[in-house]
mmCIF file of all heavy atoms in Angstrom:
data_model
loop_
_atom_site.group_PDB
_atom_site.id
_atom_site.type_symbol
_atom_site.label_atom_id
_atom_site.label_comp_id
_atom_site.label_asym_id
_atom_site.label_seq_id
_atom_site.Cartn_x
_atom_site.Cartn_y
_atom_site.Cartn_z
ATOM 1 N N LYS A 16 8.146 0.793 2.716
ATOM 2 C CA LYS A 16 7.760 -0.381 1.904
ATOM 3 C C LYS A 16 7.806 -0.088 0.416
ATOM 4 O O LYS A 16 8.336 -0.882 -0.363
ATOM 5 C CB LYS A 16 6.362 -0.858 2.262
ATOM 6 C CG LYS A 16 6.223 -1.317 3.701
ATOM 7 C CD LYS A 16 4.841 -1.906 3.984
ATOM 8 C CE LYS A 16 3.694 -0.922 3.813
ATOM 9 N NZ LYS A 16 3.661 0.166 4.785
ATOM 10 N N ASP A 33 1.400 -1.207 -5.697
ATOM 11 C CA ASP A 33 1.212 -0.435 -4.462
ATOM 12 C C ASP A 33 -0.279 -0.465 -4.115
ATOM 13 O O ASP A 33 -1.104 0.236 -4.695
ATOM 14 C CB ASP A 33 1.677 0.993 -4.821
ATOM 15 C CG ASP A 33 1.373 1.989 -3.691
ATOM 16 O OD1 ASP A 33 0.836 1.588 -2.608
ATOM 17 O OD2 ASP A 33 1.707 3.172 -3.873
ATOM 18 N N THR A 34 -0.609 -1.355 -3.155
ATOM 19 C CA THR A 34 -2.054 -1.523 -2.819
ATOM 20 C C THR A 34 -2.550 -0.332 -1.997
ATOM 21 O O THR A 34 -3.766 -0.059 -1.989
ATOM 22 C CB THR A 34 -2.322 -2.807 -2.057
ATOM 23 O OG1 THR A 34 -1.663 -2.797 -0.786
ATOM 24 C CG2 THR A 34 -1.898 -4.012 -2.879
ATOM 25 N N GLY A 35 -1.663 0.381 -1.281
ATOM 26 C CA GLY A 35 -2.088 1.544 -0.511
ATOM 27 C C GLY A 35 -2.652 2.576 -1.493
ATOM 28 O O GLY A 35 -3.660 3.250 -1.156
ATOM 29 N N ALA A 36 -2.088 2.700 -2.636
ATOM 30 C CA ALA A 36 -2.560 3.652 -3.656
ATOM 31 C C ALA A 36 -3.989 3.322 -4.099
ATOM 32 O O ALA A 36 -4.790 4.174 -4.420
ATOM 33 C CB ALA A 36 -1.613 3.721 -4.869
ATOM 34 N N TYR A 38 -6.320 1.820 -2.148
ATOM 35 C CA TYR A 38 -7.217 2.268 -1.067
ATOM 36 C C TYR A 38 -7.320 3.813 -1.081
ATOM 37 O O TYR A 38 -8.383 4.374 -0.826
ATOM 38 C CB TYR A 38 -6.714 1.773 0.281
ATOM 39 C CG TYR A 38 -7.011 0.280 0.473
ATOM 40 C CD1 TYR A 38 -6.083 -0.654 0.145
ATOM 41 C CD2 TYR A 38 -8.277 -0.140 0.884
ATOM 42 C CE1 TYR A 38 -6.319 -2.032 0.248
ATOM 43 C CE2 TYR A 38 -8.553 -1.509 1.005
ATOM 44 C CZ TYR A 38 -7.569 -2.428 0.691
ATOM 45 O OH TYR A 38 -7.889 -3.750 0.790
ATOM 46 N N ARG A 39 -6.213 4.483 -1.391
ATOM 47 C CA ARG A 39 -6.242 5.932 -1.467
ATOM 48 C C ARG A 39 -7.108 6.419 -2.627
ATOM 49 O O ARG A 39 -7.784 7.415 -2.501
ATOM 50 C CB ARG A 39 -4.813 6.460 -1.644
ATOM 51 C CG ARG A 39 -3.968 6.373 -0.376
ATOM 52 C CD ARG A 39 -2.495 6.723 -0.600
ATOM 53 N NE ARG A 39 -1.722 6.623 0.614
ATOM 54 C CZ ARG A 39 -1.594 7.603 1.505
ATOM 55 N NH1 ARG A 39 -2.120 8.769 1.271
ATOM 56 N NH2 ARG A 39 -0.886 7.422 2.606
ATOM 57 N N ARG A 88 -1.737 11.462 -2.396
ATOM 58 C CA ARG A 88 -0.922 11.626 -1.190
ATOM 59 C C ARG A 88 -1.299 12.868 -0.408
ATOM 60 O O ARG A 88 -0.598 13.248 0.553
ATOM 61 C CB ARG A 88 0.601 11.738 -1.580
ATOM 62 C CG ARG A 88 1.138 10.795 -2.593
ATOM 63 C CD ARG A 88 1.117 9.341 -2.235
ATOM 64 N NE ARG A 88 1.676 9.000 -0.961
ATOM 65 C CZ ARG A 88 1.790 7.744 -0.508
ATOM 66 N NH1 ARG A 88 1.372 6.742 -1.250
ATOM 67 N NH2 ARG A 88 2.298 7.516 0.672
ATOM 68 N N VAL A 96 -8.144 7.695 4.751
ATOM 69 C CA VAL A 96 -7.968 6.420 4.081
ATOM 70 C C VAL A 96 -8.211 5.174 5.001
ATOM 71 O O VAL A 96 -8.801 4.184 4.569
ATOM 72 C CB VAL A 96 -6.594 6.338 3.363
ATOM 73 C CG1 VAL A 96 -5.431 6.393 4.289
ATOM 74 C CG2 VAL A 96 -6.485 5.125 2.455
ATOM 75 N N SER A 97 -7.815 5.265 6.258
ATOM 76 C CA SER A 97 -7.946 4.111 7.144
ATOM 77 C C SER A 97 -9.405 3.804 7.375
ATOM 78 O O SER A 97 -9.807 2.650 7.497
ATOM 79 C CB SER A 97 -7.208 4.331 8.464
ATOM 80 O OG SER A 97 -5.817 4.239 8.237
ATOM 81 N N ALA A 100 -10.666 2.174 4.249
ATOM 82 C CA ALA A 100 -10.051 0.825 4.136
ATOM 83 C C ALA A 100 -10.597 -0.154 5.161
ATOM 84 O O ALA A 100 -10.366 -1.335 5.032
ATOM 85 C CB ALA A 100 -8.530 0.950 4.248
ATOM 86 N N ARG A 106 -12.802 -3.600 0.921
ATOM 87 C CA ARG A 106 -11.754 -4.609 1.013
ATOM 88 C C ARG A 106 -12.024 -5.800 0.077
ATOM 89 O O ARG A 106 -11.153 -6.288 -0.611
ATOM 90 C CB ARG A 106 -11.553 -5.104 2.448
ATOM 91 C CG ARG A 106 -11.159 -4.026 3.441
ATOM 92 C CD ARG A 106 -10.372 -4.563 4.609
ATOM 93 N NE ARG A 106 -9.011 -4.906 4.210
ATOM 94 C CZ ARG A 106 -8.022 -4.009 4.075
ATOM 95 N NH1 ARG A 106 -8.221 -2.744 4.349
ATOM 96 N NH2 ARG A 106 -6.810 -4.390 3.713
ATOM 97 N N ASP A 125 2.971 -4.449 -2.010
ATOM 98 C CA ASP A 125 3.080 -3.976 -0.661
ATOM 99 C C ASP A 125 1.759 -3.448 -0.096
ATOM 100 O O ASP A 125 0.892 -3.057 -0.849
ATOM 101 C CB ASP A 125 4.232 -2.928 -0.511
ATOM 102 C CG ASP A 125 3.822 -1.529 -0.861
ATOM 103 O OD1 ASP A 125 2.780 -1.351 -1.540
ATOM 104 O OD2 ASP A 125 4.531 -0.600 -0.475
ATOM 105 N N GLY A 126 1.603 -3.542 1.234
ATOM 106 C CA GLY A 126 0.325 -3.136 1.836
ATOM 107 C C GLY A 126 0.287 -3.480 3.320
ATOM 108 O O GLY A 126 1.315 -3.359 4.052
ATOM 109 N N ARG A 127 -0.884 -3.913 3.770
ATOM 110 C CA ARG A 127 -1.060 -4.226 5.204
ATOM 111 C C ARG A 127 -1.510 -5.672 5.419
ATOM 112 O O ARG A 127 -1.289 -6.223 6.474
ATOM 113 C CB ARG A 127 -2.172 -3.328 5.802
ATOM 114 C CG ARG A 127 -1.918 -1.828 5.689
ATOM 115 C CD ARG A 127 -0.720 -1.385 6.497
ATOM 116 N NE ARG A 127 -0.547 0.058 6.548
ATOM 117 C CZ ARG A 127 -0.114 0.830 5.555
ATOM 118 N NH1 ARG A 127 0.188 0.274 4.380
ATOM 119 N NH2 ARG A 127 0.001 2.135 5.699
ATOM 120 N N ASP A 128 -2.161 -6.260 4.412
ATOM 121 C CA ASP A 128 -2.744 -7.574 4.580
ATOM 122 C C ASP A 128 -2.333 -8.504 3.404
ATOM 123 O O ASP A 128 -3.049 -9.448 3.085
ATOM 124 C CB ASP A 128 -4.281 -7.466 4.539
ATOM 125 C CG ASP A 128 -4.823 -6.843 3.251
ATOM 126 O OD1 ASP A 128 -4.013 -6.219 2.497
ATOM 127 O OD2 ASP A 128 -5.980 -7.059 2.929
ATOM 128 N N ILE A 129 -1.195 -8.224 2.793
ATOM 129 C CA ILE A 129 -0.831 -8.978 1.603
ATOM 130 C C ILE A 129 -0.396 -10.426 2.005
ATOM 131 O O ILE A 129 -0.921 -11.395 1.408
ATOM 132 C CB ILE A 129 0.308 -8.309 0.798
ATOM 133 C CG1 ILE A 129 -0.010 -6.809 0.562
ATOM 134 C CG2 ILE A 129 0.548 -9.021 -0.551
ATOM 135 C CD1 ILE A 129 -1.336 -6.549 -0.077
ATOM 136 N N ARG A 154 8.871 10.397 6.158
ATOM 137 C CA ARG A 154 7.660 10.904 5.487
ATOM 138 C C ARG A 154 7.776 12.448 5.309
ATOM 139 O O ARG A 154 7.284 12.983 4.317
ATOM 140 C CB ARG A 154 6.447 10.480 6.305
ATOM 141 C CG ARG A 154 5.063 10.715 5.706
ATOM 142 C CD ARG A 154 4.908 10.303 4.298
ATOM 143 N NE ARG A 154 5.145 8.916 3.905
ATOM 144 C CZ ARG A 154 4.251 7.975 3.847
ATOM 145 N NH1 ARG A 154 3.021 8.195 4.218
ATOM 146 N NH2 ARG A 154 4.580 6.750 3.428
ATOM 147 N N ARG A 177 -2.860 6.260 12.542
ATOM 148 C CA ARG A 177 -3.230 5.382 11.407
ATOM 149 C C ARG A 177 -2.862 3.939 11.664
ATOM 150 O O ARG A 177 -3.657 3.039 11.401
ATOM 151 C CB ARG A 177 -2.528 5.920 10.134
ATOM 152 C CG ARG A 177 -3.096 5.364 8.843
ATOM 153 C CD ARG A 177 -3.076 6.427 7.731
ATOM 154 N NE ARG A 177 -1.740 6.934 7.401
ATOM 155 C CZ ARG A 177 -0.983 6.457 6.441
ATOM 156 N NH1 ARG A 177 -1.339 5.375 5.780
ATOM 157 N NH2 ARG A 177 0.196 7.008 6.166
ATOM 158 N N ASP A 181 -5.400 0.802 11.731
ATOM 159 C CA ASP A 181 -5.176 -0.349 10.810
ATOM 160 C C ASP A 181 -5.005 -1.644 11.581
ATOM 161 O O ASP A 181 -5.412 -2.703 11.123
ATOM 162 C CB ASP A 181 -3.959 -0.082 9.897
ATOM 163 C CG ASP A 181 -4.200 1.029 8.884
ATOM 164 O OD1 ASP A 181 -5.374 1.362 8.639
ATOM 165 O OD2 ASP A 181 -3.196 1.530 8.339
ATOM 166 N N ARG A 184 -8.725 -2.718 13.230
ATOM 167 C CA ARG A 184 -9.961 -2.851 12.485
ATOM 168 C C ARG A 184 -10.393 -4.320 12.495
ATOM 169 O O ARG A 184 -9.538 -5.224 12.689
ATOM 170 C CB ARG A 184 -9.802 -2.324 11.067
ATOM 171 C CG ARG A 184 -8.936 -3.129 10.222
ATOM 172 C CD ARG A 184 -8.878 -2.626 8.783
ATOM 173 N NE ARG A 184 -7.868 -3.363 8.051
ATOM 174 C CZ ARG A 184 -6.926 -2.840 7.287
ATOM 175 N NH1 ARG A 184 -6.866 -1.531 7.168
ATOM 176 N NH2 ARG A 184 -6.086 -3.591 6.675
HETATM 177 O O1 LIG B 301 0.547 2.255 2.146
HETATM 178 P P1 LIG B 301 -0.239 3.527 2.352
HETATM 179 O O2 LIG B 301 0.195 4.361 3.512
HETATM 180 O O3 LIG B 301 -0.398 4.318 1.093
HETATM 181 O O4 LIG B 301 -1.704 2.983 2.746
HETATM 182 C C1 LIG B 301 -2.748 3.874 3.025
HETATM 183 C C2 LIG B 301 -3.809 3.182 3.874
HETATM 184 O O5 LIG B 301 -4.475 2.187 3.084
HETATM 185 C C3 LIG B 301 -3.302 2.397 5.110
HETATM 186 O O6 LIG B 301 -3.115 3.235 6.248
HETATM 187 C C4 LIG B 301 -4.399 1.421 5.312
HETATM 188 O O7 LIG B 301 -5.503 1.951 5.998
HETATM 189 C C5 LIG B 301 -4.894 1.095 3.899
HETATM 190 N N1 LIG B 301 -4.330 -0.119 3.338
HETATM 191 C C6 LIG B 301 -4.937 -1.311 3.712
HETATM 192 N N2 LIG B 301 -4.532 -2.478 3.134
HETATM 193 C C7 LIG B 301 -3.534 -2.475 2.254
HETATM 194 C C8 LIG B 301 -2.892 -1.280 1.890
HETATM 195 C C9 LIG B 301 -3.298 -0.114 2.443
HETATM 196 O O8 LIG B 301 -5.839 -1.322 4.539
HETATM 197 N N3 LIG B 301 -3.177 -3.659 1.667
#
Side-chain angles (χ1 to χ4, degrees):
K16 298 185 297 293
D33 172 1
T34 64
Y38 286 94
R39 286 172 180 274
R88 317 295 311 182
V96 65
S97 287
R106 300 208 74 81
D125 84 342
R127 303 294 188 286
D128 60 341
I129 311 306
R154 191 45 59 92
R177 194 144 60 92
D181 290 343
R184 70 175 172 229

